[in-house]
Amino acid sequence: DEVPLLKQLGARVRRRRQELGLTQSQLADQDLTKSSVSQIERGQMWPSLPTLHRLQMTTRKCTTVMA
């Protein structure tokens, strides 16, 4: 079943965003809306691979800046 996996992914995105002290708006960018971030975090939308990559790069960049 894909639903538990989708919810787990969303929970990980939310947890990481919160660890970095970012809002959904701050995590969103020109290609990813705040609404999409919210849907991903709630396990209601599968992000595309390019979106996952962007989220990873954004959270990694924030970690580097904050270190």
Side-chain angles (χ1 to χ4, degrees):
D1 192 9
E2 292 183 356
V3 173
L5 182 59
L6 185 56
K7 295 224 181 257
Q8 286 177 353
L9 174 63
R12 290 185 73 178
V13 170
R14 175 181 286 130
R15 185 172 47 251
R16 183 67 180 141
R17 175 182 60 77
Q18 290 173 337
E19 286 173 357
L20 295 170
L22 298 174
T23 65
Q24 289 178 341
S25 295
Q26 291 170 317
L27 188 56
D29 62 23
Q30 60 203 23
D31 297 319
L32 183 65
T33 65
K34 177 186 174 290
S35 176
S36 294
V37 172
S38 176
Q39 289 176 352
I40 292 167
E41 288 185 355
R42 288 182 282 136
Q44 296 179 340
M45 180 177 102
W46 277 109
S48 66
L49 286 177
T51 297
L52 279 175
H53 181 70
R54 263 196 322 278
L55 289 171
Q56 177 195 23
M57 295 308 292
T58 300
T59 57
R60 181 178 293 160
K61 215 181 298 180
C62 289
T63 303
T64 303
V65 169
M66 297 172 87

